[in-house]
Amino acid sequence: MKILLTSTSFQDTPGHHHQYLDSLGFEVVRMRGPLIEKKLLNEITQFDALLCGDDEITRNVIKKGALEGNLKAISKYGIGLDKIDIEAAKDYNIKITNCPGVNKTTVAEHVFALLLSFVKNIIKEDNLLKEGKWKRLIGSDLIGKTLGVLGTGNIGKEVIKRANAFGMNIIAFDKYPDNNFSKKFDFIYESSFKKFIKSCDFLTIHVLLNDSTRNLINEKSIKFFKKNCIIINTARAEIINHNIIIEALNNDQIGGYLSDVFPNEPLPNNDPIINAKNVVITPHIGSRTHENIVRQGTYAVQNLIKSINEYKQN
């Protein structure tokens, strides 16, 4: 078996996941992802399976791998499958797996790392002190503020647990509300998206990217936010219209944007988000802790083995 490994988090972090993969006796080829479609089309016929990150695994890639090569399985290191053509995989009998739930505590912690850094002026104050300036900025408390949680899956639930500890008022929006969870952690689901976003002092995004969530925060919906609302995005960049959020920041339509995800990654040096007002940005590291990489990498390898064994049995 010949495996293509593209996840840079998997590759860059030492740990048990490497030993586990190496122990299987597969020939593993490592490339630095995320790979674009053109690159994958040039390589895909060599491989029996992929252990991938956010590579462009399009219908063309899957079709070529299945018909001109021996592609059997795609194991996603992570949760989101929006870069993989699921229907094409079904058409060509390619098994796809991911790692649901594996990121939940790590990403939830990153949400609050971004949020606290911003409202307490941590980054600004650090920079000022290093410039030799003693300037004491005024921050804000989280207690008593309203946190809107868009999507209450695994990560959204972990954010809610932590928000409770900070004494925040919590509201949520989800097509499939978990009423037992809301009773346990004392928050409400809003039935109207418009009412939901109008009520938020902070909005944190935890929905998957699909046709119904793509461009959800756009030119129309941005008008309903409070002018001091802070938006936190650790999900997918495409849920928010990138140009609209930059315009809203620079025109003081919202209070800030804290993001770990971008339409183009790595983030181009000339992307206007870099110089927009009131932003804190990180390079897609929300799930990138040593503990979680080992956990996630092991999970992805287990999925890979299971998929290959199922293929052999069939």
Side-chain angles (χ1 to χ4, degrees):
M1 301 293 293
K2 191 172 181 180
I3 312 298
L4 175 61
L5 170 63
T6 65
S7 166
T8 55
S9 293
F10 189 113
Q11 294 178 59
D12 291 347
T13 307
H16 168 72
H17 56 301
H18 285 283
Q19 288 78 45
Y20 188 20
L21 180 58
D22 292 342
S23 72
L24 301 175
F26 299 147
E27 179 185 352
V28 180
V29 175
R30 292 166 171 82
M31 295 184 187
R32 305 288 298 176
L35 302 182
I36 63 172
E37 180 189 49
K38 183 178 178 180
K39 176 67 173 174
L40 281 168
L41 286 171
N42 289 334
E43 305 288 348
I44 194 65
T45 56
Q46 303 178 54
F47 300 103
D48 299 284
L50 305 181
L51 202 165
C52 65
D54 290 325
D55 310 281
E56 291 183 357
I57 305 175
T58 61
R59 174 171 287 272
N60 289 334
V61 171
I62 290 170
K63 180 180 178 181
K64 188 171 183 180
L67 298 184
E68 299 181 33
N70 199 30
L71 185 64
K72 303 175 182 67
I74 300 170
S75 176
K76 171 67 193 294
Y77 171 92
I79 302 168
L81 298 174
D82 48 280
K83 299 289 187 180
I84 303 173
D85 192 319
I86 305 295
E87 291 304 313
K90 290 178 182 177
D91 292 344
Y92 293 99
N93 196 29
I94 305 299
K95 177 77 172 178
I96 295 178
T97 54
N98 65 342
C99 306
V102 73
N103 289 335
K104 61 182 182 180
T105 56
T106 308
V107 176
E109 288 181 2
H110 195 71
V111 168
F112 283 95
L114 290 170
L115 185 51
L116 288 166
S117 294
F118 186 80
V119 300
K120 305 298 182 185
N121 296 308
I122 301 298
I123 297 170
K124 288 181 180 178
E125 293 284 31
D126 179 69
N127 289 335
L128 286 167
L129 277 173
K130 288 173 180 176
E131 293 169 4
K133 299 173 183 176
W134 184 264
K135 187 174 182 180
R136 301 168 69 198
L137 303 173
I138 298 173
S140 300
D141 289 339
L142 296 185
I143 190 169
K145 302 290 174 49
T146 298
L147 176 69
V149 181
L150 178 57
T152 55
N154 289 312
I155 297 172
K157 285 183 169 71
E158 293 298 319
V159 169
I160 287 167
K161 292 175 186 178
R162 286 153 180 78
N164 260 324
F166 280 105
M168 304 182 80
N169 300 318
I170 303 163
I171 57 174
F173 186 84
D174 197 303
K175 284 186 176 181
Y176 307 99
D178 187 336
N179 293 315
N180 290 330
F181 186 83
S182 68
K183 288 176 184 176
K184 182 176 179 179
F185 289 94
D186 193 27
F187 70 92
I188 63 167
Y189 282 99
E190 289 287 0
S191 58
S192 162
F193 182 66
K194 179 180 175 181
K195 185 178 178 181
F196 168 71
I197 58 177
K198 287 177 75 171
S199 303
C200 297
D201 296 312
F202 307 100
L203 171 70
T204 183
I205 299 170
H206 303 292
V207 289
L208 296 173
L209 177 64
N210 53 42
D211 290 342
S212 65
T213 62
R214 189 182 300 275
N215 205 35
L216 184 63
I217 297 176
N218 51 38
E219 187 175 12
K220 181 180 178 181
S221 57
I222 200 74
K223 295 175 182 177
F224 297 115
F225 285 92
K226 295 179 181 180
K227 286 198 171 183
N228 63 347
C229 181
I230 312 300
I231 299 173
I232 309 111
N233 189 2
T234 56
R236 282 289 188 259
E238 293 85 355
I239 295 165
I240 298 178
N241 184 299
H242 193 62
N243 293 328
I244 293 299
I245 203 76
I246 292 165
E247 184 179 323
L249 287 163
N250 292 332
N251 292 334
D252 297 318
Q253 285 181 267
I254 58 171
Y257 183 56
L258 321 178
S259 185
D260 188 47
V261 289
F262 307 95
N264 297 300
E265 297 182 4
L267 182 67
N269 293 333
N270 61 351
D271 193 302
I273 194 70
I274 294 169
N275 294 314
K277 294 169 64 175
N278 296 323
V279 298
V280 174
I281 52 179
T282 53
H284 208 150
I285 57 167
S287 65
R288 200 175 168 97
T289 64
H290 182 270
E291 297 87 349
N292 190 53
I293 290 168
V294 173
R295 183 167 58 239
Q296 192 166 196
T298 301
Y299 195 161
V301 175
Q302 288 172 340
N303 284 340
L304 183 68
I305 297 167
K306 184 178 179 181
S307 295
I308 290 171
N309 287 338
E310 288 178 0
Y311 186 89
K312 289 178 179 178
Q313 290 171 5
N314 292 332

